Amino acid sequence: MPNISDSKCILVVGATAGIGRALAASLKALPSKPKVIVTGRRQERLDELAKQGFETVKADVNADRAGLKQFVDSVVSKYPDLDSVIFSAGIQHEFDFTKPESVNLDNLADELNTNYLAIVTMITYFLPHLLKVASTGQPAFIMPITSGLAIVPGPWVPCYCATKAALHSYSISLNEQLLDTGVHVIEIMPPLVESELHDHQGKSPSLSKVWMPLDEFTNKAMEGLKRGDTFVPIGMAAQGFEKFEKGKAEASHGAFMNMKKVTG
């Protein structure tokens, strides 16, 4: 089974903090010594990572479609050996719909774009290159990071959960469509993890009592990536996956095969 150890060049989108940064460091430390490229919006963080031996690209996933196309084209041009992309960028906002006047629709739109639309757009732009790489026999990987909240929603962050549920559903379908291409989809599904994601909400001090330490999460995620698992649910996300998601991918495969028969 192809796995992340087969990768020669990995791009981590959203790697200046938290999960993305931790995964980038672990990937760089693999015995296979892949080239690891990291992106983010904060130049000072990118400068720190460059000193640690990472390739760096400044990028904002909340750019418009033309900006995302320019970003993808520039990365593929500079790194023609790129074979794997991890999508770690994400934002989270709380919304209280019992007080609809308090709902910030701009934040809602940013959340939808950053967590779902921009990722699907970038995947679409990266795919011609990844398919070409895979056609040479080099395994290629698309690795979206979703959430356990894609399975069991947290009502305090309803739109975040919806974006992650959308990305989870898309990942299942994308994996099915790419099944025979050599481009593999690996979905990483974290539980509540130590992260700056919650800092702007003022919740980090209280959440720190219950979240999974970042190092523990990273180690478990890397185990799944090194096995080449299609789904890498961790902690509470694994419990939700086992209870509610088991068999869904297989059912999706059956539906896809039936549709092919019907439509020829």
Side-chain angles (χ1 to χ4, degrees):
M1 173 72 70
N3 64 73
I4 198 63
S5 297
D6 297 313
S7 293
K8 298 177 181 178
C9 183
I10 306 167
L11 172 69
V12 185
V13 178
T16 53
I19 287 173
R21 184 167 180 152
L23 283 175
S26 293
L27 292 166
K28 191 173 183 296
L30 284 170
S32 53
K33 300 297 180 185
K35 181 186 298 179
V36 180
I37 311 152
V38 296
T39 81
R41 293 179 291 107
R42 291 172 282 190
Q43 187 61 53
E44 69 278 6
R45 296 282 184 94
L46 293 174
D47 292 341
E48 292 173 12
L49 290 164
K51 291 176 183 177
Q52 297 172 27
F54 291 95
E55 299 284 324
T56 65
V57 179
K58 189 174 183 180
D60 183 359
V61 300
N62 207 17
D64 59 19
R65 196 178 303 165
L68 293 176
K69 182 69 163 62
Q70 184 179 31
F71 160 66
V72 171
D73 288 347
S74 65
V75 168
V76 168
S77 176
K78 187 174 181 179
Y79 304 101
D81 54 346
L82 178 71
D83 55 41
S84 302
V85 186
I86 293 180
F87 294 95
S88 180
I91 55 175
Q92 184 184 96
H93 296 291
E94 293 188 357
F95 296 104
D96 183 355
F97 286 93
T98 69
K99 301 174 183 176
E101 68 282 356
S102 73
V103 173
N104 186 321
L105 294 177
D106 289 333
N107 285 348
L108 191 154
D110 286 346
E111 200 168 52
L112 175 62
N113 189 61
T114 300
N115 296 356
Y116 181 69
L117 293 176
I119 293 173
V120 174
T121 299
M122 286 186 284
I123 288 173
T124 304
Y125 290 149
F126 274 118
L127 266 172
H129 171 77
L130 296 176
L131 287 166
K132 183 178 179 180
V133 168
S135 71
T136 69
Q138 169 63 35
F141 297 90
I142 294 171
M143 292 167 280
I145 296 180
T146 60
S147 171
L149 295 176
I151 301 169
V152 181
W156 58 97
V157 284
C159 298
Y160 176 84
C161 300
T163 62
K164 292 298 185 176
L167 188 59
H168 169 55
S169 178
Y170 170 77
S171 299
I172 294 174
S173 297
L174 181 66
N175 183 62
E176 189 62 38
Q177 288 193 15
L178 298 177
L179 209 53
D180 299 319
T181 67
V183 179
H184 307 274
V185 179
I186 298 179
E187 182 184 352
I188 303 168
M189 309 182 77
L192 177 63
V193 175
E194 176 187 359
S195 169
E196 294 179 11
L197 181 70
H198 315 284
D199 286 359
H200 73 284
Q201 300 167 347
K203 295 292 183 69
S204 290
S206 56
L207 292 177
S208 66
K209 300 173 184 177
V210 294
W211 64 27
M212 177 179 285
L214 183 57
D215 287 347
E216 180 182 350
F217 163 79
T218 305
N219 290 336
K220 291 180 181 298
M222 288 300 298
E223 289 173 4
L225 293 177
K226 287 187 280 189
R227 288 192 300 266
D229 295 347
T230 300
F231 302 99
V232 186
I234 296 164
M236 292 296 291
Q239 295 177 30
F241 187 88
E242 180 70 19
K243 185 172 183 179
F244 298 111
E245 296 291 305
K246 201 167 184 181
K248 180 180 283 187
E250 292 78 7
S252 178
H253 173 75
F256 191 46
M257 291 299 101
N258 288 336
M259 181 60 69
K260 282 186 172 181
K261 290 178 183 177
V262 171
T263 61

